Each structure stands twice: as structure tokens, then as C-alpha cells.
Amino acid sequence: MSNPLDTVVALHKRGKAVGVTSICSAHPLVLRAAMAQAREDGDLVLIEATSNQVDQDGGYTGMRPVDFRDLVHRAADRAGLPRERVVLGGDHLGPNRWRSLPAEQAMARADVLVAAYVEAGFTKIHLDCSYPCADDQTPLTDEVMATRAARMLAVAEKTAAAMGRAGELRYVIGTEVPVPGGAEETIEELLPTTAESARSTLARHRAAFAEQGLEHVWPQVIALVVQPGVEFDHLRVVDYDRDRTKDLQRVLDDEPTMVFEAHSTDYQTVPRLAALVEDHWAVLKVGPGLTFALREALFALAAIETELVPEHDRSSLPEVVEQRMRAEPGQWAKYYTGDAATQRLARRYSYSDRMRYYWPDPEIQAAERRLLVNLTDRNIPLPLLSQYLPDQYQRVREGTLDNHPVELVLDRVRDVLRGYRHAATPSGRRRTA
């Protein structure tokens, strides 16, 4: 059975430098922006949930896989995008959420996790068992990681077969990226994966699949996660340097159905993203970069609100976010160090964007809604729009964008997606040359 991602991989393997953007966000406005962009492009849209974000118990968003699926499908329906052009992916599926448990208990929960994703209709499954559990010897060996991934593969295949969807799933293997949520420390040096290490990952996983009697599933593995030397921390972006990956680029030459998947591509410039695609990183994952742009737009609107709305009627969105993040520091405290002023700047403006974990907070959601209602009820003067959202101002002046707060936010997020679109299509690269 085919999968919409097969076309991307097949074109890439035939020598066309094409790719696909993997959107990792559960924010409704980000999803709306993604659907609008896909509809305009006439393309598929790949939306992924991570194992810490969405699991059988709710994850940090409070959503199970079926809930996330429904959220994405509602966004597609609202945009008029056919559901068959929506691909759902599960990222970093494995024992990450249960690392404090003994390995067997953690893997039992991981089995339930992957089954829940498959049952909900997710067809791109990243098997990631790189996380050591409570009774593991560390570092984990390649054999242990591959054996656990194969165990999850068996669960996924059995679940798909029981639903009459045998052959529909596509898999991603490899783990040389930070844990879900991003790097926890300032990056001093970042080395790309060696070609030897990448080949070892392939060989170990192929052998582990065969031990499960699933060697026939190997062609359904469409991507290998390796580190191309891209990452970001709170203040710095490590840019892609293709000269450092020349040997690595050739590792998949003999794998007819497989490309590389690049994680943490957020904040790379469009030319760097294009170079990644040309060098066979045909799946480009972006998450914090989208909610970073979302925050920029919402905080810009909050500044506009300050100019237009009496103080007692304002949403005070930035202040509400700050209050809630300080009241519940669990999602940022171990990431943002330094004195109080440094932490405050990081909470608001860090590339790592730990703020994205707080958008589901009821008080923050209420403030966001009030902000958008306040500005919907008022006309935003063009000079004021120019001050805070200059790119959107230009489009409003040109008549290509409505001067409406929600449309302004969506367009700011779509600026990020447009960059990925240009990088992932040959015609897009010509347009940005």
C-alpha cells in the first residue's frame, strides 16, 4: 500500500532535490497556517506529534493521539484541504516518557504508545529507543536500541494489520539528535554523525528487524535520522556546513527507499535549508521556529493593543504568559540559567522557545482570545501596523493580506513555512536565488 510520502522519496532518489517540511506543533494557529500554506502550494502537509507532547495518557498538551488527529483534521477541514493530503507522524516514539522506570516496564508503555498512534491513523512512525531506562547500563549499545526499535516495529505492524492497513506505515530510524524538547545546555561544539556510525545504525536495525521476522518491512523505512551539524540553543544557531558532511551524504546511496531526516532545522536560513535538501536531508523538521514566529506576532499585536485599548480592557498577554511561566516553572527552569534578568529574557525570546509548552494554559488561552477579539473590534491603523509587523503591513498595503489580527498572525507563521517551501522545491530555490 502506498503512502503520500513515497512520492517525495521517489523523486528525491531519482535525483530531484525535493523535500518535505515536517511541522511539529499542536498550536491551533500554527496548524491553521500550515493548512493554508499547503492549500496554496497544492501540496501535502506533514504534521507530527512528539512522544512528550501527545501520548496514551495525554502528554503535556493533554491530548492522546486520537485527539491530536482530530485537531489536525479539523484544521484541514476548516482550510478546505482534503484529508488525504494530510500525513500524520509520531516523533521520538519510544520509552522517553518513562525513563525513570525499569526498561521492561518502560518498553511496555512504549508498546501501548506506538499502538495508540497507529490506531489513530498516524502513518509516519519514528522508532526512537535511545533513552536509557532506570536499570539500563549506559551508554546504551546500538544492539539494545535497535532491538527495542524492532520490538516497537512489531507492535506497529501487528496493529496496522489488525486494522486492514498492512503496508501503509512508513518508518524512521536513528537517534542522533537531542531528546524531545531540544538541547538542555548551551552548545559549544556540534559534530555531524560520521558515515561509519550511520552505516552501523542501518546494519543494526536491519539485523534486528530480521530477528523479529520482519525483514520484509525494511523497504517501509523511508528515513534515517542523523546529525548533519545543525542545532540551536537559547541564543545561538549552528548553521549547516555541507563541507562537513561529504562522506555522510553518500551513506544512503544504496538504500533505494531511504532519505535522511534532519531535526532541529529551526532558524536555518533558506539557502542552508536548500543545501540540506540537495544533500539528501529530504525531511526537514521544524517546531520551535514556528511558535517563535507565533509569539512574535502575538506580542506585536499586544503592543498594538496597548496603543489602542484602555488599560482595563487589555488582554495583557505578555504579562499573563510571564506570570504563568513563573508560577509553573517546570518546563523552563532547568533550561534557562543565570540571574533573574537573563532568565526573563530567555523566557520571552529564547530560540529554544520553552514558552511553547505554556500556550495550552487556560489563563494564557483566555488572554490570547481577548487580544484577538479586542483588535478584531478595532481598526488597526496602518502606521501602527508598520511599526510592529512591517512585512504584514506591506502585504496589507498591496492588498494580498487582510488587516485582521488572526490573518496577521497566520501570515507571520507562514513566513517561516514559505522559507521551507522554497528550500524544498527546485522552483522555490530559483525564486529565492
Side-chain angles (χ1 to χ4, degrees), residues 354-374:
R354 305 302 300 181
M355 188 184 294
R356 71 188 187 275
Y357 293 95
Y358 292 86
W359 290 114
D361 180 275
E363 292 184 38
I364 294 175
Q365 286 186 331
E368 180 187 314
R369 287 192 297 268
R370 186 170 187 180
L371 169 66
L372 296 175
V373 168
N374 280 346

Side-chain angles (χ1 to χ4, degrees), residues 205-264:
H205 280 76
R206 189 193 289 266
F209 285 19
E211 289 170 6
Q212 288 277 357
L214 294 170
E215 58 269 33
H216 63 282
V217 181
W218 189 251
Q220 292 172 230
V221 180
I222 62 167
L224 172 67
V225 177
V226 290
Q227 175 54 267
V230 302
E231 188 51 86
F232 54 91
D233 57 26
H234 313 315
L235 299 173
R236 176 188 174 209
V237 178
V238 180
D239 289 317
Y240 178 59
D241 180 354
R242 68 191 337 165
D243 290 336
R244 302 177 73 200
T245 66
K246 289 190 178 298
D247 291 338
L248 180 59
Q249 293 170 28
R250 304 266 65 88
V251 165
L252 298 180
D253 286 355
D254 296 328
E255 295 288 347
T257 64
M258 204 179 302
V259 295
F260 290 121
E261 177 170 292
H263 291 223
S264 300

Side-chain angles (χ1 to χ4, degrees), residues 268-310:
Q268 296 288 311
T269 64
V270 173
R272 303 276 184 173
L273 292 172
L276 279 164
V277 175
E278 292 165 0
D279 294 344
H280 311 306
W281 278 269
V283 183
L284 303 176
K285 299 186 77 68
V286 58
L290 296 169
T291 44
F292 185 95
L294 174 80
R295 187 266 309 154
E296 287 183 327
L298 288 172
F299 279 23
L301 291 180
I304 291 172
E305 180 190 43
T306 299
E307 300 288 349
L308 299 179
V309 179

Side-chain angles (χ1 to χ4, degrees), residues 99-285:
R99 284 180 285 171
S100 62
L101 298 176
E104 183 54 38
Q105 293 181 34
M107 285 304 300
R109 285 165 171 77
D111 291 343
V112 175
L113 173 72
V114 73
Y117 270 80
V118 174
E119 289 168 354
F122 289 67
T123 59
K124 179 178 178 289
I125 303 295
H126 179 201
L127 303 169
D128 186 359
C129 294
S130 61
Y131 320 105
C133 300
D135 58 350
D136 279 328
Q137 294 184 351
T138 56
L140 291 181
T141 65
D142 288 344
E143 288 85 353
V144 168
M145 290 187 282
T147 297
R148 291 177 181 175
R151 168 179 169 162
M152 292 178 61
L153 173 79
V155 172
E157 285 294 293
K158 181 178 179 180
T159 304
M163 299 175 67
R165 293 168 46 204
E168 181 179 338
L169 303 183
R170 297 296 178 266
Y171 296 100
V172 178
I173 59 174
T175 59
E176 293 201 22
V177 292
V179 299
E184 296 184 10
E185 299 177 353
T186 300
I187 301 168
E188 300 298 337
E189 183 179 15
L190 187 65
L191 298 176
T193 303
T194 65
E196 179 183 10
S197 177
R199 290 191 178 95
S200 176
T201 296
L202 289 171
R204 302 292 186 187
H205 280 76
R206 189 193 289 266
F209 285 19
E211 289 170 6
Q212 288 277 357
L214 294 170
E215 58 269 33
H216 63 282
V217 181
W218 189 251
Q220 292 172 230
V221 180
I222 62 167
L224 172 67
V225 177
V226 290
Q227 175 54 267
V230 302
E231 188 51 86
F232 54 91
D233 57 26
H234 313 315
L235 299 173
R236 176 188 174 209
V237 178
V238 180
D239 289 317
Y240 178 59
D241 180 354
R242 68 191 337 165
D243 290 336
R244 302 177 73 200
T245 66
K246 289 190 178 298
D247 291 338
L248 180 59
Q249 293 170 28
R250 304 266 65 88
V251 165
L252 298 180
D253 286 355
D254 296 328
E255 295 288 347
T257 64
M258 204 179 302
V259 295
F260 290 121
E261 177 170 292
H263 291 223
S264 300
T265 68
D266 312 68
Y267 314 112
Q268 296 288 311
T269 64
V270 173
R272 303 276 184 173
L273 292 172
L276 279 164
V277 175
E278 292 165 0
D279 294 344
H280 311 306
W281 278 269
V283 183
L284 303 176
K285 299 186 77 68

